[in-house]
Amino acid sequence: MSEENKHHATAAAILPLVGGARNVTSVAHCMTRLRLGLHDRSLVQDERIKALPAVMGVVEDDTYQIVLGPGTVARVTPEFEALVDAEKSAAAPAAPEDGSEPVTAGELAAQGAALRAERKARNATPFKLFLRRIANIFVPLIPALIGCGIIAGLNGLLVNLHWLPGLTPALTAMASGFMALIAVFVGYHTAKEFGGTPVLGGAVASVIVYAGVADVEAFGRHLSPGQGGVLGALGAAWLGVYVEKQCRRRVPEAVDVLVTPTVTVLVAGLATLFGLMFLAGEVSTWIGDAADWLLSHGGAGAGFLLGGLFLPLVMLGLHQALIPIHTTLIEGAGFTVLLPILAMAGAGQVGAAIAIYLRLPRNTSIRATIKSALWPGFLGVGEPLIYGVSLPLGRPFVTACAGGAFGGAFVGLFNQLGTDVGSTAIGPSGWALFPLLDGNHGLGRTVAVYAAGLLVGYAAGFLATYSFGFTRTMLTELNSAPAPAPQERPASVERAASVERAAQKAGTPGA
């Protein structure tokens, strides 16, 4: 089967399992997840979705998130959107007959409403909603950050080796161009996320990077181009959205097209120049100083906490809320010292998976899942191991976090001793982070510390899981041979077995 047909087949398999096109209200994706807005959550067949060969897991949040992995999700999403549009178009003439279909039955509607109310009460806190909206602004920028970061790393290597001096200025321009204008892109997506006109958000935020702001004085100081960075762009675009909405309510329609954009850019632009740029610049400086202080004074302790707590954030999908902090650090220092520490969480997960593989020699289902998910784990894609192995088992998830904590402590200790280990971009982790590494003592030492941190994370995750990841009862149940009947098997074993059966079915010719 060709790659295109494979992604189309994945989308076609998912659609009926989420209740069909009529149950889908929105479709989006991030680096690894297909994010669906749904009318009725009760129509979703979770276990059948999890059993699909391409699905690594599911996450329930304000949207229903299907973990497909990087690369795959970007190809499946347009296929899924096309199928949704086609099915809705085909079903449009039959809309008046909806009342006779089981999908709209009163019991299903009541059950779906109850589920939505329960999830809303549990998850829709103002703080979590705010974090999700901030993350939505930055997620579309990650591919450009990765690409430009890798080019910057390659360019730095060529400069240090004095190779290709005629090419390095061009690489510098390509690597730095996006970061020089990132405020514009942040402003655009901020306005889009908060319900304004995206191009007006970009226009207001572009004031921040305009060279002429050096002639503007605020709070007794001349401004600098780029002062305030992405935080200033966030504030400027949000203010622009507020002004635009007020104008839409009050300005007559006849002159709206002239007055609203002008007033939006004028009011938000002046507020940005004479207030937000200075304040955001101070906050950006504080974030950089705080990160330096945290690692120079907290060192191993700070790294232990960051590395140990990052996996729960990934599990909840809230790790993307850290993107503005990473971006601010990259703008200020050229790299973020937090990402390599947080990447140790994935190392703990890999070590735990290896221990599980060895502790369950008779459980072919879980071992098969680990075999398929381990290499993505080495490359920093931890969700297959989280949702397919450690989280369903319970205790191994905790011991994997412990492995990440010790790896983070190791890298944090070297930061405290004066060796900064940073990343020039965000997104990749694990081995995939090597091309993006940078620091204050040369690439060789930076790479050595990061690689040693990964080894510590692997070892700590392995030892913690092998020693403390299972009770005797768990080992007896999970190593049972022959396997018990499906209704008698632990949920974790049944989950892994369903994944294996689906994978075997997918590999059968003609399936």
Side-chain angles (χ1 to χ4, degrees), residues 13 57 89 113 121 184-185 224 258 271 288 304 315 337 340 355 399 413 440 468 477 492 498:
S89 298
V184 179
F185 295 97
S224 301
L258 299 174
F304 187 90
M315 181 188 69
V337 293
T399 54
L413 175 62
N440 61 346
F468 308 108
E477 291 177 342
S492 57
S498 66

Side-chain angles (χ1 to χ4, degrees), residues 27-386:
V27 181
H29 74 88
C30 60
M31 288 290 291
T32 59
R33 304 175 187 181
L34 174 65
R35 297 169 177 255
L36 304 178
L38 301 173
H39 283 297
D40 191 342
R41 173 64 181 83
S42 66
L43 301 179
V44 178
Q45 301 177 51
D46 292 291
E47 294 305 317
R48 293 185 63 185
I49 291 175
K50 294 176 184 177
L52 294 175
V55 174
M56 301 173 180
V58 299
V59 179
E60 293 189 47
D61 213 319
D62 56 329
T63 55
Y64 187 76
Q65 303 171 17
I66 302 174
V67 183
L68 298 173
T72 300
V73 69
R75 292 165 175 79
V76 171
T77 300
E79 297 286 348
F80 187 87
E81 289 177 320
L83 289 173
V84 169
D85 292 340
E87 187 173 315
K88 286 183 176 179
S89 298
E97 302 177 5
D98 283 353
S100 62
E101 297 184 6
V103 168
T104 58
E107 292 183 2
L108 288 179
Q111 184 179 359
L115 285 169
R116 286 195 299 273
E118 180 183 355
R119 288 175 59 242
K120 184 176 181 180
R122 185 175 67 250
N123 291 325
T125 64
F127 181 66
K128 289 184 71 174
L129 291 174
F130 172 75
L131 289 182
R132 291 179 197 133
R133 302 196 80 170
I134 296 299
N136 290 341
I137 293 167
F138 286 89
V139 166
L141 308 182
I142 290 179
L145 288 167
I146 294 173
C148 294
I150 291 177
I151 293 173
L154 174 62
N155 186 55
L157 181 62
L158 293 176
V159 170
N160 290 335
L161 295 174
H162 304 288
W163 290 355
L164 302 176
L167 179 62
T168 51
L171 293 178
T172 299
M174 286 184 280
S176 304
F178 175 74
M179 288 305 300
L181 297 175
I182 191 172
V184 179
F185 295 97
V186 170
Y188 180 94
H189 286 286
T190 300
K192 183 178 180 180
E193 175 65 24
F194 286 96
T197 302
V199 72
L200 290 180
V204 172
S206 67
V207 173
I208 293 173
V209 297
Y210 175 57
V213 298
D215 298 325
V216 179
E217 186 175 324
F219 298 95
R221 305 180 190 176
H222 283 279
L223 298 176
S224 301
Q227 185 174 340
V230 295
L231 299 181
L234 273 169
W238 180 87
L239 179 59
V241 170
Y242 177 81
V243 174
E244 180 186 359
K245 289 181 176 180
Q246 296 301 313
C247 289
R248 299 291 184 199
R249 294 192 186 101
R250 293 170 172 79
V251 175
E253 292 184 6
V255 294
D256 178 73
V257 70
L258 299 174
V259 173
T260 297
T262 304
V263 173
T264 297
V265 175
L266 180 63
V267 174
L270 289 173
T272 300
L273 288 169
F274 293 103
L276 285 176
M277 282 186 68
F278 177 82
L279 295 176
E282 294 298 305
V283 173
S284 298
T285 301
W286 180 85
I287 289 176
D289 292 342
D292 290 339
W293 183 90
L294 179 66
L295 294 178
S296 62
H297 292 78
F304 187 90
L305 290 175
L306 292 171
L309 295 176
F310 188 60
L311 276 182
L313 289 179
V314 174
M315 181 188 69
L316 296 172
L318 296 179
H319 57 296
Q320 292 168 344
L322 296 169
I323 295 174
I325 297 175
H326 290 312
T327 308
T328 299
L329 294 174
I330 292 171
E331 278 190 313
F335 53 81
T336 169
V337 293
L338 297 181
L339 186 58
I341 292 176
L342 299 176
M344 295 300 115
Q349 189 74 236
V350 168
I354 296 173
I356 294 168
Y357 187 88
L358 296 178
R359 291 287 269 166
L360 303 179
R362 297 181 181 179
N363 195 312
T364 57
S365 298
I366 291 181
R367 285 164 68 94
T369 301
I370 292 173
K371 281 183 180 179
S372 63
L374 193 59
W375 287 111
F378 278 116
L379 294 174
V381 182
E383 281 143 323
L385 290 175
I386 294 175

Side-chain angles (χ1 to χ4, degrees), residues 396-475:
F397 179 78
V398 177
T399 54
C401 291
F406 280 100
F410 180 87
V411 178
L413 175 62
F414 274 85
N415 276 274
Q416 186 175 9
L417 296 175
T419 300
D420 291 343
V421 179
S423 171
T424 58
I426 55 178
S429 183
W431 294 357
L433 194 62
F434 278 109
L436 298 171
L437 292 176
D438 196 3
N440 61 346
H441 281 92
L443 185 60
R445 185 185 297 189
T446 301
V447 169
V449 172
Y450 179 72
L454 288 177
L455 292 176
V456 171
Y458 297 151
F462 175 86
L463 292 173
T465 304
Y466 197 91
S467 302
F468 308 108
F470 297 93
T471 63
R472 291 183 179 180
T473 302
M474 289 175 65
L475 287 174

